[in-house]
Every structure is written in C-alpha cells, then in structure tokens.
C-alpha cells in the first residue's frame, strides 16, 4: 500500500488479486485497484467504510483532488473506497491493446462475459473482509453503480450496512429492447428542451448534417464522423450542464477557410473528446449486456429500436427543414467501427451482441424480503435511466425509500455538492 496526501485528505492505493471467475476461486486471477480516502487527522480513527461504485459500465472510479462535492460530506463520517471495477482504470485492463492476449474474438467475448455487475459484486465481497475485517459497509452507487448495488442486495445483502443509489435503479425484468424503447421518447424530450433553450442551434445542427452528408469527415486520431456520430453528441443532454456544453460545442462548429466554411478543428476535437471510448472501451462493448437477463441476445437493441422512431432520421429532418434530433447513450456496429479504440474489437463486440445465455442479475424474491436500509435518488425524466422502471423497482425492494426530484439530472450526486448524499443518508437512517 502507498499513502499520500492532498488538501484535507489522506489517500491510500490498494491492489487486490481476485478470481476472474468466482465460481473457480483457484483459477485465473485478475488485479483490482481501489483508492482509499480518509479525512486528514482521522487516519487512526475507527471509521466505517463507504464503497463508491462508479457509473458506466466501463468507467474507472473518479480521480478526486482534495474533498470535492459528495466526497467532502462522506469523509465527515466514513472512510471512502473508490473502486476501479474490473477492466477499468488501474485494474487489469481490458482494451484493444490487452484483449488480443486472450486469443481471438470468441475467447475475448468469453472473457468479457465475466465483467458484468454480478462479478463486480463478488469482487466487492472478496475485498470487503480483507479491508474491513468482516464488517459490512455502505455502498453508494451512481448510475450503473446503482445497478451493481441492486445486484448486491440480491446476492450478498449481509455485506451491506446500507445501500445508497443515485440515478441507478434498474428494471428487474426489462429487456435491452424495452429499455431503449422507453429511452427514445425521453431523448426526444431532451432535444426539444435544448432547442427551446438554444433555438440558434437548430440551424447549426442542420448545417453540420448537410456538410457531413456530402463530406466524409474524420475526427483527430482517425475517428470516423458520419452523421450518426454527430447525432451521438446528444449523450451530453443527460447531464445537468450538458445542454450548455452541447451549445458551446455547436457554436464553434464552422470556421472560414480559403476554400469556404469548414468544420473547425475546435469543434472536431471537442466532438472527439465526447465520443472517444479510448479510456472506456467496456462502456461500448458491454453496454447492452447490463440489461441482458433473459438468456436472449441483445443483438444491437439500441440500433434495432431506433428504427421504430423515424423522427431520429437526420436525412428526413434535413429534407423537412426540421432540426435533427441527437441520440443518447446508444451503441451500434457503426459506432464500434468508427472509433479507433474499438475498431480492432469489432468482431468481439458482434459476438457479445449475439451472445445468448445471459443469466439474471437480480433476485426479486430476495429483494422483496430485503432488510438492508436502502435510499434512492430518482431523477425525474432521467435521460439514461427510465423513471417508471426505477419506481417499479423501488416498489419491489422492501423498505426502499425514494427521493424523486427534477432539481438535478443524472449527474446529481456530483452536481449537487453534498446535498444528494446528505439526503440519501438521512432517508436510509429514517431521519427524513
């Protein structure tokens, strides 16, 4: 272990060896990285642990400096553990550079099938006794981290002192197609709200679509940028500041050149920063698998369901002189092929999309008998997680208390400072 200091906090780096397949504990091992945080001056205090599970899938835990937003609130009474979930951050990586060591696409897909929330929960239970001496801990799950928390309640509730979920109550039984069928109307509403806020963006978006339709374009680093990729910038619209970020990106879209107006380097670099999966390849490769529970293949559900919503056809919007609609958190074969970080893994992605035999991630009977204090922030009309799905699950988990709010978007736990975590702790403790 290595410890070091930042303003107001002492950080300790932890590494753990865990089984790739927990059903084979003596088999292949992978490494997990986690960063422990404790308030400066309280290093020797006997404090309970709070485990933070990041969203995604495929995102490493955040890299804080000092005691920002909810972390400052947590450090008043907890030690905090920021876990790089398997395959992310400083844990054993799973990307275009490392996966070829597994073999071909079939072997790579078999390997990545061990990277869903059920395996992440078993990782946490492997780590917990080694870190806490066996004491249960509190879990804070953001987005996909909340999915993991519900899986935790389903499979190992004895490890939990409390579960706090923010923007991450999953449906217990919806298929991937069901999830996206519910998502596209929400995405459309976010588009309409954006264009109402920034009506000037409608013309700019039409100009970009027209330009891309006639001019094959690459982003810096060789990322292909077809119209569908431009529409994917709508992933920004699910965050509290996302509409504003999209506007500022669009206002830099064109620059004057001797050859006439062209997409600016500033805009293209900004688009690359939003769209690239170089630091999070599992976000694309495993995204639909987080909804797979019925044994059936997901089969690129987001792209299949999109065909049911013709209002997202950018060419038709252009022909009708309507503003094109941006899409959201969706992946398709073209998006894998467009990204240099994903392109070498295209066959692996296809095999994961075609994979059958996915097992359930949640246990409705165990959740109905839950005894762990659970509190969840449900963000009204969350672009990433359907509100009705979330509330249905809330009703299915015994004792779960919800806070439904439209004050924040999906990133409320970060955008709110200490407020979301403070509210969830109060709900879980019966103080609110």
């Amino acid at each position: 272990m290595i410890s070091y200091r930042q303003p107001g906090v002492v950080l300790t780096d932890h590494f753990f060896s865990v089984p790739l397949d927990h059903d084979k504990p003596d088999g292949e091992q992978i490494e997990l990285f986690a960063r422990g945080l404790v308030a400066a001056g309280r290093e020797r205090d006997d404090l309970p642990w709070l485990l933070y599970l990041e969203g995604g899938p495929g995102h490493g835990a955040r890299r804080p400096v000092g005691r920002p937003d909810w972390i400052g609130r947590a450090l008043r009474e907890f030690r905090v553990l920021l876990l790089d979930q398997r395959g992310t951050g400083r844990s054993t990586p799973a990307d275009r550079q490392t996966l070829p060591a597994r073999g071909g696409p079939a072997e790579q897909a078999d390997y990545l099938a061990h990277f869903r929330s059920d395996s992440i929960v078993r990782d946490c239970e492997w780590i917990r006794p080694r870190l806490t001496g066996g004491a249960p801990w509190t879990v804070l799950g953001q987005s996909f981290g909340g999915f993991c928390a519900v899986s935790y309640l389903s499979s190992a509730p004895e490890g939990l002192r409390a579960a706090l979920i923010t923007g991450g109550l999953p449906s217990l039984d919806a298929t991937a197609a069901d999830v996206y069928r519910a998502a596209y109307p929400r995405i459309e509403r976010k588009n309409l709200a954006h264009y109402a806020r920034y009506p000037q963006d409608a013309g700019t978006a039409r100009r970009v679509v027209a330009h891309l339709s006639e001019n094959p374009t690459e982003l810096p680093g060789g990322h292909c940028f077809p119209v569908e990729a431009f529409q994917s910038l709508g992933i920004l619209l699910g965050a509290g500041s996302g509409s504003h970020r999209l506007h500022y990106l669009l206002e830099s879209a064109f620059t004057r050149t001797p050859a006439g107006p062209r997409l600016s380097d500033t805009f293209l670099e900004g688009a690359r920063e939003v769209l690239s999966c170089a630091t999070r390849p599992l976000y694309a490769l495993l995204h639909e698998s987080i909804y797979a529970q019925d044994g059936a293949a997901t089969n690129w559900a987001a792209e299949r369901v999109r065909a049911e919503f013709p209002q997202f056809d950018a060419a038709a919007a252009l022909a009708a002189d309507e503003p094109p609609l941006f899409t959201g958190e969706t992946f398709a074969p073209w998006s894998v092929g467009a990204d240099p970080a994903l392109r070498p893994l295209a066959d692996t992605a296809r095999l994961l999309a075609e994979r059958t035999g996915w097992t359930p991630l949640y246990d409705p009977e165990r959740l109905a008998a839950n005894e762990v204090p659970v509190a969840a922030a449900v963000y009204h009309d969350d672009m990433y997680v359907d509100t009705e799905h979330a509330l249905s699950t809330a009703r299915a988990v015994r004792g779960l208390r919800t806070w439904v709010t439209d004050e924040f978007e999906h990133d409320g736990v970060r955008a709110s400072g200490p407020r979301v975590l403070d509210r969830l702790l109060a709900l879980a403790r019966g103080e609110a």
Side-chain angles (χ1 to χ4, degrees):
M1 295 188 300
I2 301 174
S3 294
Y4 45 98
R5 290 178 176 268
Q6 292 179 357
V9 62
V10 177
L11 304 92
T12 303
D13 292 352
H14 298 270
F15 292 91
F16 304 93
S17 182
V18 302
L20 169 65
D21 182 349
H22 283 276
D23 289 333
K24 300 175 181 177
D26 297 325
E28 180 181 352
Q29 305 288 296
I30 59 175
E31 189 171 68
L32 296 182
F33 171 79
R35 180 173 280 114
L37 285 67
V38 64
R42 304 198 68 184
E43 299 94 313
R44 299 185 183 278
D45 291 0
D46 184 19
L47 299 170
W49 281 92
L50 182 146
L51 167 69
Y52 176 68
L53 295 177
E54 187 60 87
H59 291 185
R62 61 176 311 174
R63 269 48 181 170
V65 177
R67 302 169 59 163
D69 44 71
W70 65 267
I71 289 178
R73 170 64 183 89
L75 290 178
R76 284 161 42 189
E77 57 184 288
F78 294 100
R79 295 177 184 271
V80 172
L81 190 72
L82 304 176
L83 175 66
D84 281 349
Q85 298 162 20
R86 51 172 56 199
T88 74
R90 293 177 65 190
S91 296
T92 298
D95 54 36
R96 67 178 178 87
Q97 294 176 298
T98 64
L99 284 171
R102 310 300 312 182
E107 290 77 16
Q108 294 173 26
D110 288 344
Y111 177 72
L112 292 178
H114 295 293
F115 283 64
R116 296 203 303 160
S117 62
D118 48 357
S119 294
I120 292 168
V121 168
R122 296 180 78 173
D123 289 342
C124 295
E125 278 299 278
W126 186 275
I127 292 171
R128 182 179 59 84
R130 291 160 174 79
L131 198 64
T132 73
W137 53 15
T138 296
V139 62
L140 172 61
Q142 156 66 14
S143 189
F144 172 70
F147 288 30
C148 294
V150 176
S151 187
Y152 215 143
L153 290 166
S154 295
S155 61
E158 65 279 2
L160 297 177
R161 181 180 180 185
L164 313 173
I165 297 168
T166 168
L169 278 177
S171 171
L172 300 183
D173 56 10
T175 66
D178 294 334
V179 168
Y180 291 110
R181 199 165 281 118
Y184 279 109
R186 299 197 310 278
I187 298 169
E188 182 177 10
R189 289 194 292 273
K190 298 297 183 185
N191 272 269
L192 297 179
H194 174 78
Y195 284 130
R197 180 180 294 115
Y198 293 113
Q200 64 270 44
D201 286 359
T204 303
R206 283 196 296 269
R207 287 181 65 201
V208 174
V209 168
H211 180 87
L212 293 175
S213 298
E214 298 178 0
N215 301 277
T217 301
E218 281 192 354
L219 303 178
H223 196 301
C224 298
F225 194 49
V227 170
E228 293 86 353
F230 170 66
Q231 290 179 275
S232 294
L233 294 173
I235 195 168
L236 292 171
L237 295 175
S241 62
S243 176
H244 311 301
R245 287 183 61 197
L246 180 61
H247 168 67
Y248 289 135
L249 185 58
L250 288 172
E251 71 176 8
S252 69
F254 287 95
T255 190
R256 295 178 183 274
T257 77
R262 294 290 185 269
L263 293 176
S264 73
D265 287 347
T266 298
F267 171 73
L268 295 174
E269 177 60 25
R272 185 200 63 78
E273 291 177 359
V274 174
L275 299 177
S276 174
C277 284
T279 62
R280 48 179 185 166
L282 297 186
Y283 183 51
L285 296 175
L286 292 177
H287 205 91
E288 294 194 356
S289 76
I290 71 175
Y291 307 118
Q293 301 189 82
D294 61 353
T298 58
N299 196 24
W300 302 110
E303 187 75 354
R304 287 189 291 109
V305 171
R306 176 176 171 165
E308 301 174 17
F309 296 89
Q311 61 268 42
F312 285 90
D313 184 332
L318 198 64
D321 200 30
E322 295 289 337
L325 295 183
F326 294 94
T327 53
E329 195 176 44
T330 58
F331 294 96
W334 68 260
S335 56
V336 172
D339 191 334
L342 301 175
R343 202 173 295 145
L345 303 173
D347 286 338
T348 303
R350 175 181 56 78
L351 291 174
L352 286 167
E354 295 172 353
R355 192 179 187 89
T356 58
W358 297 111
T359 55
L361 297 168
Y362 315 111
D363 185 337
E365 290 187 8
R366 201 161 191 183
L367 293 172
N370 172 63
E371 296 183 355
V372 176
V374 187
V378 177
Y379 303 119
H380 176 66
D381 221 28
D382 188 328
M383 193 174 86
Y384 303 122
V385 177
D386 186 71
T387 301
E388 290 305 316
H389 288 173
L391 293 177
S392 177
T393 295
R395 291 188 290 270
V397 181
R398 181 174 177 267
L400 187 152
R401 300 190 65 191
T402 58
W403 173 36
V404 183
T405 176
D406 62 2
E407 186 175 357
F408 306 108
E409 293 286 350
H410 187 74
D411 59 344
V413 72
R414 294 187 294 272
S416 70
R419 293 168 59 194
V420 167
L421 178 56
D422 205 46
R423 177 73 171 176
L424 293 179
L425 285 168
L427 287 170
R429 293 166 176 171
E431 298 170 354

